[in-house]
Amino acid sequence: MKIIISHVNMDYDALASMIAAKKLYPDAQLVISDKQDDRVKRFLNIYRDQFDFVRDVHVEWSKVTTMILVDVASLGRVGKISDDFDVENVNFVVYDHHPEHPNNVKRNDGVVEPVGAAVTLLIEEIKERQLPISEFEATLFGLGLYTDTGNFIYKNTTTRDLQAASYLMDYGMNLEIVQRFSEQTLEPAQQDLLDQLLLNSKTYAIDGLEIIVSTYQLKKFQGGLALLTSKLLEIKGGDAALTVVKMKNHVHVVGRASSDRVSLPPLLKKFGGGGHKHAGSATVKHADQDVVLKDVLNHLDTMLQPAITAKEIMSHPVKTLTPETTIEEAGHLMYRYGHSGYPIVEDGHLVGLITRRDLDKGNHHGLGHAPVKAYMTTNIISIEPETTLEDIQKLIIEHNIGRLPVLQNGEIIGIVTRTNIIEIIHNEIGSIHEGKDSNLTKLHLAKEMEKQLPQEVFTLLNQISETANRMYIPVYLIGGIVRDLLLKKPNDDIDIVVEGDGISFAKGLQEDYGGEVLEHDNFGTATWTHPTGLMIDITSSRLEYYDRPASLPDVELSTLEEDLNRRDFTINAMALRLSHDAFGELIDPFGGQDDLREKKIKILHNISFIEDPTRIFRAIRFEERYQFLMDDQTENLALNSIDKVKELTPNRIIQEMKRLFNEGHPPSVTERLFELNFWQQFGIQSSHQAFSFQTSKVLQKMYHKFTEDALEFIGNDEPSWFTYFLIPFHANSTIQDAEKFALTKDNMNLYQEIVHLNRYNEWDDIKKIGDYHVYLKDHSVEAILFIIANGTIKNRELAVEYLKRRDRLPRYFTGGDLMKLGLKPGPLFSELFLQLEMSQLNGEIMTKEKAEKWIEVFLKRQT
C-alpha cells in the first residue's frame, strides 16, 4: 500500500504538494490529519469533493509499504501513526525544501533541495515527465507557490519557483482565485488571541536586535498561530517574534523573523521542531508552559548570528584633509580617488566633514582658493568600532547622511559609507561571519587549493600564512590564480598582496624560510625566491590614477578593497585570504563568481577602457581563453573607447597583439577586432572583415597541413602573430600603414618582402612551376604563403607545389665548379643558376649528368 502524507497543520504548500505527488504516484492514497491551516480549511470546505482523502486514523498502517512525504521529512510531524507501522520495512519517498534534520527519515527516492516551496520540486518532475495538469490543479499548485514564497518576495524564493509559476500560467493558473484564497483574514477567536499576545509581549534587546516574545494559554486548540506570530512581528516591528502558547495539553512554539542575523532552526530544534531560517515551529507535548517559556528565553542567543560591526565593514585607513586644504585641491583629490566626501582632521582629531556638494557650492561662488574649513560640516555624527550594522542603518536613515566616521579614543580609524551598507545588504562582498544558516556565508577554497595546486605551492602558501600571522599583516593571494581555481584550470602564477609594506613582508619570509629577496623600492614590491627555487612576487596593495587616457598610471599604497577596485574585470578582482584563521576565504566584492558561472567578461568601471585601452585587448584574450563573452555594457564601452588605442604607442599595441594572436584562435581574433572597430582606427574598412577572417583561416590551414605532412620547409606549425596582423592591412590595400608596427628585424623583413611581392602583376601568366622562381627565389616561405593565402597568386596548388620542390631542390653545381670550367663570377653566374633551377623545378633536369649537359648547351649559347 502506498500513501501520500504531509505535516499536521497543513498549509497550501503541503496540500498542493500532496495533489502534485498524486500525479506522479496515481496508485497512492492521500492521507491527512484533522489539523489544517485556516485558509486551507476554507479552501477544502468548498473543494473537498475534488479530492480522495483518508484520515490518518483510518489508515491500515501495517499494510503501508511506501510512504511519500511532501513538505516534510520527519515522521514526528505527520500526525497520528499507529504502533503497527513497520518503519524499518517501508520505502520512503521525500519531496521537501526544508533544511536537513537528524530526525528526518532515510529516503529511498524523491528530492530534497532548498527552493521556496516544496511544490516546485514536484512541478519540475511533472514537467519533466510531460504529465498534463488541469486549470484547477495549476491554480492549487499556484496557491502553494505564492503563499510559501510570500508572493515571491521571501528570501528563500529561487528562480526555480518563478519558472514553476510560469509553467503553471501556461496551464491556466487562475490568479484571481490564488489571491482570494491566499488572503489572511482573522476570525474573531484569532483576533482575541492576537490581542492577548500583543498585551503579553515583551521585547528583549540582544546584541543590537529586538526579539519579541509573547505567551498565552488556551483551553482548546486554536489554529492560525503562525499567522498571528507574523502579525505580532509586523505590528511590533522587531527583528524576530516568538509565541509560546499552550493549547489543551500541548505547548506550541512558533517563530517568525525578518533579520538576516536571526536563524530560527537552532532554537526550535531544541524543542523537536524545525522549519526555515525565518519561519518555523515546534510542538512540545504534555509540557508545562512556564518551563517551555523559560527554556525559550534562556536560548534566544542560539538563533542569533554575531553582529556585524563598524570595525568589520568600515573602509580603512581613512584619507583625510586638513582644515587649510583648498576647495580646489579637495575637489581634485575627490576626483582622483573617487570619493564623495572627506573627514577633516586637525592635530589628530576629527573636526569636520566636507562633501562634494559642499565643494560645488564653494566653486560656484568662485572660492576654489578658500580653505575647506569655511564650508565643512562641524556637527559630526560618529560611531564606535563596535556599533552594530543595525544601529548604523538607523543613524544613516534618521539623519540622512552618507558617511559615518569611526572613532576610537577620539581618533578616526575608519569610515562607514552608504556603499558599505549596500554591499552588506546585497551580499556583494559576502558576510563577515560564517554559519551554516547564514545567507552571507563565505566561500572557502582551502580544499580546492590543496587539490588543484602543486604540493610545493600549497605548502609555500601555508608558510606565507604563518609569517603573516607572526607579523600581524593581512596577506592575500590575488589575481588570475584565484579566477582559475574557481574555473578548475591550472595556474601556478602566485601573486601576493600585502596590506602594508610588501618589501618588509618579503624580508620576513626570508627570515623565516631563507631564500633571497630582490627589492623594487620604486614600486613598493619585492620578489622572494624560496630555497626550492620558487619565485613569489609580493606587492603592497595599491591604487592607480590615470592623469590622461592611455597613459601609464600613477601608483600609491592603499587598502585591499582599493587594490581590487583598480582591476580590469570582475573575474580578476577576487582574492583569497591567507591569514591562518581564514585561510582560503574568498573575497569577491564585484560578483566575479557569478560572472564566471555566466561566462561573462564584465568591466569594473565605465571609464576603465578610456584610462587603459589595452584592457579591450585583454577582454578579447579572456573571451578566447575561456570561451566567454563580454556583457552588453562592457562591449558597448569597448566600442565607445576603441578610438583611444590610437593614443597608444606602437610598442604597446604590438605587445598586446602578440599576446592576442599567440594565445587565441587567430581567425576569430581578427574577426573580433573588426567587430570592436580596432582595425577601423587605422583606416581599414569594415567591408574587409569577412575576407580577412577567411584569409586567416586559409593561412592557418596551410601551415597545419604542411606540418601534418612533415614538410620541413614550413619551420613552424603556425604563422607568426605579425603575419596575421598584416592581413587586414593587405586586404585594405594599405599595407604601408603597418610599417610602423614592424619594430623587429624579422617583422620588418616580412613586411618589406610582402610590399615587394605586391609589385608583381604577372602571377596569372605563370603556367609552369619553375616560372615562379623568377619572382620568389629570394623570398621566405612565410611571405610566399602570405600572398598565396591572400589570393594574390590565383593558382594556389601550383604555387604550393613550387615551395615543396624548392625545398627539395638539389644543388648539382656550385660557383666553384663553374670557375673550374673557366667562367668568371658575374651576372652570368646568377642567370645560369636561375635557369638551371627553373629547369629542375619544371622536372626537366633530374640528375647531375643532365645538369652537366644542360650547362654545356647554355654556355654554347652565350658564345
Side-chain angles (χ1 to χ4, degrees):
M1 177 182 178
K2 295 180 182 177
I3 66 169
I4 300 171
I5 194 167
S6 189
H7 54 78
V8 293
N9 298 321
M10 183 170 64
D11 56 16
Y12 276 128
D13 189 26
L15 175 61
S17 298
M18 289 180 68
I19 306 309
K22 180 73 171 176
K23 303 284 292 183
L24 301 173
Y25 302 91
D27 56 340
Q29 176 64 56
L30 296 168
V31 177
I32 61 171
S33 74
D34 61 342
K35 295 183 177 63
Q36 292 96 38
D37 176 277
D38 286 337
R39 290 176 297 173
V40 173
K41 282 183 179 179
R42 276 198 299 134
F43 183 84
L44 291 179
N45 284 340
I46 299 173
Y47 295 105
R48 184 175 295 275
D49 291 341
Q50 300 287 328
F51 311 111
D52 180 23
F53 288 127
V54 171
R55 276 285 313 278
D56 49 8
V57 293
H58 297 145
V59 172
E60 294 185 58
W61 291 99
S62 61
K63 294 183 179 180
V64 174
T65 56
T66 298
M67 178 181 282
I68 301 151
L69 291 161
V70 295
D71 199 29
V72 69
S74 169
L75 294 179
R77 298 186 61 215
V78 299
K80 298 173 181 178
I81 300 177
S82 67
D83 295 338
D84 58 354
F85 178 62
D86 189 2
V87 67
E88 298 297 329
N89 294 310
V90 171
N91 177 49
F92 287 102
V93 180
V94 181
Y95 291 91
D96 190 26
H97 66 136
H98 296 92
E100 294 283 355
H101 189 281
N103 293 336
N104 288 356
V105 298
K106 186 176 181 181
R107 65 186 174 94
N108 305 96
D109 200 358
V111 182
V112 178
E113 292 178 358
V115 291
V119 74
T120 294
L121 304 173
L122 292 131
I123 292 170
E124 289 175 341
E125 196 156 325
I126 288 171
K127 181 180 179 181
E128 184 177 346
R129 296 192 195 180
Q130 297 182 336
L131 299 176
I133 58 177
S134 66
E135 291 186 10
F136 174 75
E137 289 169 334
T139 302
L140 174 57
F141 299 165
L143 272 167
L145 261 176
Y146 275 79
T147 55
D148 235 44
T149 61
N151 296 331
F152 305 110
I153 64 171
Y154 289 167
K155 293 184 179 180
N156 61 327
T157 305
T158 67
T159 55
R160 293 166 65 182
D161 300 298
L162 294 166
Q163 289 164 356
S166 175
Y167 179 74
L168 296 179
M169 289 295 292
D170 291 338
Y171 279 87
M173 175 173 59
N174 189 319
L175 293 178
E176 184 181 347
I177 292 178
V178 169
Q179 181 182 12
R180 185 193 312 163
F181 282 99
S182 60
E183 289 177 352
Q184 298 178 318
T185 57
L186 299 183
E187 297 176 356
Q190 290 175 324
Q191 185 63 57
D192 291 342
L193 177 55
L194 177 60
D195 292 341
Q196 292 300 325
L197 291 172
L198 287 167
L199 184 63
N200 295 340
S201 65
K202 292 183 179 180
T203 300
Y204 297 85
I206 306 175
D207 202 12
L209 296 179
E210 292 184 347
I211 311 299
I212 301 154
V213 180
S214 186
T215 184
Y216 195 63
Q217 184 170 344
L218 294 171
K219 293 181 179 180
K220 61 180 182 179
F221 178 81
Q222 173 61 59
L225 186 57
L227 171 61
L228 300 181
T229 307
S230 297
K231 293 282 187 183
L232 178 66
L233 178 61
E234 181 183 334
I235 295 169
K236 298 293 288 187
D239 297 290
L242 290 161
T243 54
V244 181
V245 180
K246 186 169 185 177
M247 302 180 190
K248 290 187 178 180
N249 299 321
H250 306 326
V251 178
H252 301 268
V253 182
V254 176
R256 292 293 184 268
S258 59
S259 169
D260 276 331
R261 285 183 54 206
V262 178
S263 181
L264 294 167
L267 173 66
L268 296 174
K269 284 177 183 178
K270 295 183 180 299
F271 303 98
H276 300 292
K277 180 179 179 181
H278 288 161
S281 63
T283 300
V284 188
K285 296 181 178 180
H286 307 290
D288 184 280
Q289 181 182 8
D290 293 335
V291 172
V292 174
L293 177 62
K294 184 177 180 181
D295 281 347
V296 167
L297 295 176
N298 288 339
H299 293 94
L300 288 179
D301 59 327
T302 63
M303 65 179 191
L304 305 185
Q305 302 292 326
I308 297 175
T309 63
K311 183 178 181 180
E312 294 164 310
I313 63 172
M314 68 184 185
S315 299
H316 66 93
V318 183
K319 288 181 172 61
T320 62
L321 304 177
T322 67
E324 304 305 322
T325 304
T326 66
I327 287 175
E328 182 180 4
E329 184 182 355
H332 176 73
L333 290 171
M334 282 190 188
Y335 173 75
R336 175 166 186 158
Y337 297 112
H339 294 175
S340 59
Y342 268 102
I344 312 300
V345 173
E346 186 175 30
D347 297 329
H349 294 285
L350 181 67
V351 295
L353 288 170
I354 191 81
T355 67
R356 190 183 303 277
R357 184 179 297 176
D358 298 329
L359 298 183
D360 289 343
K361 290 179 181 178
N363 285 319
H364 177 72
H365 293 292
L367 298 174
H369 62 282
V372 293
K373 64 182 179 182
Y375 284 87
M376 69 184 184
T377 299
T378 56
N379 183 21
I380 306 167
I381 298 172
S382 63
I383 54 178
E384 298 177 346
E386 301 308 318
T387 304
T388 66
L389 177 62
E390 291 76 18
D391 289 338
I392 293 170
Q393 286 179 261
K394 290 175 184 176
L395 286 171
I396 284 178
I397 293 170
E398 181 180 345
H399 298 283
N400 191 26
I401 49 179
R403 60 200 55 79
L404 289 168
V406 184
L407 302 184
Q408 188 172 50
N409 299 324
E411 180 182 352
I412 184 169
I413 63 168
I415 193 163
V416 174
T417 66
R418 286 195 183 103
T419 300
N420 299 130
I421 303 298
I422 292 170
E423 286 173 341
I424 289 294
I425 291 174
H426 291 279
N427 194 21
E428 289 180 354
I429 61 171
S431 171
I432 305 300
H433 302 291
E434 302 167 24
K436 203 170 183 182
D437 296 313
S438 175
N439 285 336
L440 303 174
T441 301
K442 283 278 189 178
L443 178 63
H444 285 261
L445 297 178
K447 290 183 179 179
E448 282 299 317
M449 293 166 69
E450 185 173 15
K451 179 180 177 182
Q452 294 186 46
L453 297 176
Q455 183 57 50
E456 64 271 19
V457 172
F458 184 70
T459 300
L460 186 61
L461 293 176
N462 276 283
Q463 291 176 339
I464 291 172
S465 175
E466 295 293 339
T467 300
N469 288 339
R470 177 180 66 79
M471 297 180 68
Y472 299 102
I473 293 178
V475 177
Y476 308 88
L477 181 65
I478 204 165
I481 191 171
V482 180
R483 174 196 67 231
D484 288 343
L485 275 168
L486 289 165
L487 290 173
K488 294 182 169 53
K489 293 185 178 292
N491 188 331
D492 300 337
D493 187 15
I494 304 174
D495 289 321
I496 301 296
V497 166
V498 177
E499 276 191 320
D501 189 339
I503 294 176
S504 175
F505 182 69
K507 291 179 178 178
L509 290 170
Q510 182 184 37
E511 179 184 331
D512 288 347
Y513 307 109
E516 298 180 359
V517 171
L518 178 62
E519 300 179 27
H520 311 287
D521 291 316
N522 291 340
F523 302 98
T525 65
T527 301
W528 173 52
T529 304
H530 191 269
T532 61
L534 283 171
M535 299 178 67
I536 309 296
D537 290 326
I538 298 168
T539 308
S540 300
S541 55
R542 64 189 192 272
L543 60 80
E544 296 174 345
Y545 175 73
Y546 293 80
D547 273 325
R548 63 185 185 280
S551 66
L552 293 173
D554 295 328
V555 177
E556 62 182 69
L557 295 182
S558 71
T559 63
L560 174 74
E561 183 179 350
E562 290 172 319
D563 190 285
L564 293 176
N565 195 49
R566 72 180 176 83
R567 306 280 163 165
D568 47 12
F569 308 110
T570 58
I571 62 172
N572 295 332
M574 296 181 285
L576 293 176
R577 295 185 192 275
L578 295 183
S579 55
H580 194 270
D581 58 340
F583 186 83
E585 183 183 274
L586 180 68
I587 300 170
D588 179 17
F590 305 106
Q593 296 173 81
D594 293 335
D595 292 332
L596 287 177
R597 280 190 290 269
E598 296 175 15
K599 297 187 176 183
K600 287 182 180 178
I601 306 296
K602 188 182 294 184
I603 200 74
L604 276 186
H605 308 292
N606 289 350
I607 64 169
S608 286
F609 289 144
I610 294 175
E611 291 179 333
D612 184 1
T614 64
R615 287 172 171 162
I616 298 173
F617 307 134
R618 290 203 290 277
I620 301 173
R621 283 217 318 274
F622 288 126
E623 285 187 329
E624 288 287 310
R625 185 186 303 175
Y626 301 117
Q627 297 303 295
F628 285 12
L629 285 174
M630 298 183 216
D631 73 332
D632 290 342
Q633 182 183 13
T634 300
E635 182 160 336
N636 287 333
L637 290 170
L639 285 166
N640 292 335
S641 309
I642 195 68
D643 61 315
K644 298 296 183 292
V645 300
K646 292 185 291 186
E647 300 176 23
L648 297 170
T649 64
N651 186 57
R652 287 191 74 190
I653 292 176
I654 282 170
Q655 295 306 315
E656 292 299 329
M657 291 296 110
K658 187 175 181 180
R659 294 189 188 100
L660 250 181
F661 283 104
N662 286 342
E663 184 177 318
H665 180 243
S668 62
V669 167
T670 301
E671 185 174 46
R672 191 69 170 125
L673 288 170
F674 265 110
E675 291 172 350
L676 294 175
N677 291 341
F678 168 74
W679 302 114
Q680 292 86 327
Q681 304 310 308
F682 304 99
I684 298 171
Q685 299 299 309
S686 299
S687 57
H688 296 300
Q689 176 177 331
F691 179 80
S692 298
F693 173 73
Q694 190 61 33
T695 300
S696 299
K697 286 181 67 175
V698 170
L699 185 64
Q700 187 179 57
K701 284 182 178 179
M702 284 197 297
Y703 271 76
H704 291 175
K705 180 66 168 62
F706 295 156
T707 302
E708 290 174 8
D709 294 344
L711 299 176
E712 294 182 2
F713 74 83
I714 195 66
N716 301 310
D717 62 355
E718 190 76 48
S720 72
W721 73 269
F722 192 62
T723 310
Y724 286 116
F725 182 77
L726 291 175
I727 288 174
F729 290 95
H730 188 273
N732 198 58
S733 300
T734 53
I735 189 72
Q736 68 278 0
D737 291 343
E739 182 178 5
K740 64 182 177 182
F741 298 106
L743 299 185
T744 66
K745 182 179 178 181
D746 288 343
N747 290 345
M748 180 57 76
N749 287 340
L750 177 62
Y751 164 77
Q752 290 175 341
E753 283 191 80
I754 293 170
V755 169
H756 186 263
L757 289 171
N758 276 339
R759 295 171 183 164
Y760 297 129
N761 298 312
E762 297 84 0
W763 304 113
D764 292 344
D765 299 330
I766 293 174
K767 305 302 180 184
K768 292 183 178 181
I769 290 175
D771 295 342
Y772 281 115
H773 207 49
V774 176
Y775 308 103
L776 302 179
K777 65 184 180 67
D778 296 324
H779 289 289
S780 66
V781 171
E782 191 169 17
I784 295 170
L785 288 177
F786 181 92
I787 63 169
I788 292 174
N790 272 282
T792 303
I793 297 177
K794 304 299 182 186
N795 196 334
R796 184 181 300 167
E797 291 75 16
L798 199 66
V800 169
E801 184 61 28
Y802 162 75
L803 283 175
K804 293 179 180 178
R805 292 189 185 185
R806 189 182 80 167
D807 181 58
R808 299 192 297 265
L809 193 68
R811 191 71 181 266
Y812 293 134
F813 288 92
T814 65
D817 294 330
L818 295 183
M819 290 174 66
K820 289 177 183 179
L821 295 175
L823 295 178
K824 295 180 180 180
L828 186 62
F829 269 41
S830 299
E831 181 65 20
L832 186 150
F833 279 126
L834 172 62
Q835 295 295 331
L836 175 60
E837 289 173 354
M838 288 173 64
S839 296
Q840 289 179 255
L841 289 165
N842 287 330
E844 299 163 358
I845 297 175
M846 306 296 290
T847 65
K848 186 171 183 179
E849 290 74 18
K850 286 190 176 183
E852 288 176 348
K853 291 180 180 179
W854 183 90
I855 291 175
E856 289 176 9
V857 173
F858 179 84
L859 293 176
K860 285 180 182 179
R861 291 178 186 159
Q862 307 303 314
T863 59

